[in-house]
Amino acid sequence: MDISSVIKNLHPLETKVLLRYGLKDELTSAKLQSELGYKEGHANQAFSWLMGKELLAEVARTPHTYYELTDFGRKVQSEGFVEEKIVSLLQKEGAKSMPEIAAALNIEGKDVGSAFGPLSKEGVLQMNAEKKAEATGKPLPQRITVAKALVQKAAAAENATLDAKDLSEEEKQVMAGLTKKRGVSETPFRTIERETVVYKLKEAFEKVAEALKKAGVTGNEIGEITPAMLASGEWKKGTFRGYNIGVPPARIIPGRTNPYVTWL
């Protein structure tokens, strides 16, 4: 490995990683965001470049499931679930047909049907002799209480997102009906599947890191002079990032006349 050539082609995003961490450190995008102030895209780009230079290796991938509160979920937080509305309506105004319930609550008929089925099995609602839904007087099931708690918890969480690993088995069972519920036009949560990728520096990085220290390279070198830096004179106090002028430039493909267009 030509160390001097590697150093010349290092980006500041890579340099900071090489100078900050060691062989035993497990590196993730979240770690770089927290400790180096990188954005997610910057962290992933640094990992990609370092792997390309064979200074970094992937050591593990861990799948994660998250549940993000939707706009409909925020509406549910303030207005309540469809099940609550239906039961409350029937308790106050008596038995109603499905279309009457949908019209009274201004919701879609399929949402009424989707809510009625489970509530009927749980004994909270029933269909009378006139084929109208009516409340039996039985309280709402526990799943509604758990669902409301999940919505409140998500609304108070960072990015309105819950990690599946933090949920109890009961909460996971209820959440399954809040994200992909057949026949429902909107759901309170959307499921997000992600992977946490863990990296470790390879032994070859040590020589590169040592060379960076000897050269006095920190990763904070100036790479672009802005009008503000010129106006303030800040550029005079910093050191500049080196550029390898021997690297071939990107190929430029010019436009050309299309014979068919010319013929037309």
Side-chain angles (χ1 to χ4, degrees):
M1 178 187 294
D2 185 349
I3 302 298
S4 61
S5 176
V6 172
I7 290 177
K8 287 181 181 179
N9 290 290
L10 285 174
H11 189 277
L13 292 174
E14 300 172 275
T15 299
K16 291 179 181 179
V17 173
L18 295 175
L19 293 175
R20 176 69 179 267
Y21 301 106
L23 290 173
K24 295 182 179 180
D25 291 313
E26 294 189 342
L27 308 180
T28 63
S29 176
K31 186 179 183 71
L32 267 57
Q33 291 176 61
S34 172
E35 298 180 0
L36 295 181
Y38 287 5
K39 294 181 180 179
E40 184 176 4
H42 290 161
N44 292 335
Q45 189 67 73
F47 290 144
S48 176
W49 286 333
L50 288 170
M51 288 185 69
K53 296 180 175 70
E54 297 187 352
L55 298 175
L56 189 79
E58 180 185 317
V59 296
R61 280 179 179 261
T62 305
H64 289 288
T65 300
Y66 299 91
Y67 301 108
E68 182 183 32
L69 193 67
T70 62
D71 290 338
F72 179 74
R74 295 186 184 281
K75 182 179 179 181
V76 167
Q77 181 193 7
S78 60
E79 299 180 5
F81 281 88
V82 170
E83 289 86 345
E84 294 179 279
K85 295 179 182 179
I86 293 175
V87 173
S88 177
L89 175 69
L90 297 181
Q91 286 176 339
K92 292 178 180 178
E93 301 184 11
K96 289 183 179 293
S97 66
M98 296 296 190
E100 289 174 336
I101 294 174
L105 298 177
N106 193 29
I107 57 178
E108 293 190 30
K110 61 181 180 179
D111 290 347
V112 176
S114 180
F116 177 82
L119 289 174
S120 177
K121 291 180 181 179
E122 291 160 334
V124 178
L125 298 179
Q126 64 183 14
M127 195 70 74
N128 63 20
E130 298 177 356
K131 300 298 182 182
K132 290 187 175 183
E134 62 182 9
T136 63
K138 188 175 180 178
L140 285 166
Q142 175 67 11
R143 65 180 174 86
I144 301 299
T145 302
V146 175
K148 291 178 66 176
L150 285 170
V151 169
Q152 294 297 336
K153 187 188 296 187
E158 184 178 359
N159 299 322
T161 302
L162 300 177
D163 191 332
K165 68 180 178 62
D166 296 329
L167 303 182
S168 67
E169 287 304 314
E170 182 182 30
E171 288 176 324
K172 289 178 182 178
Q173 291 177 8
V174 172
M175 182 63 80
L178 299 177
T179 54
K180 297 178 181 178
K181 197 171 182 182
R182 187 174 181 180
V184 177
S185 57
E186 294 181 285
T187 57
F189 290 91
R190 69 169 57 91
T191 302
I192 301 174
E193 301 289 350
R194 291 178 182 167
E195 281 188 322
T196 295
V197 185
V198 181
Y199 302 90
K200 276 191 174 183
L201 290 165
K202 300 173 72 171
E203 289 186 3
F205 107 91
E206 292 181 318
K207 293 181 179 179
V208 177
E210 187 62 30
L212 286 171
K213 293 174 184 177
K214 287 182 179 179
V217 179
T218 65
N220 294 315
E221 288 74 25
I222 298 173
E224 180 180 356
I225 297 180
T226 64
M229 292 171 67
L230 290 173
S232 66
E234 181 185 350
W235 65 274
K236 298 178 182 179
K237 303 175 185 178
T239 55
F240 290 86
R241 175 187 169 200
Y243 287 90
N244 186 354
I245 61 174
V247 176
R251 181 186 176 195
I252 298 176
I253 303 177
R256 59 185 180 182
T257 303
N258 186 313
Y260 182 65
V261 173
T262 302
W263 177 78
L264 289 176

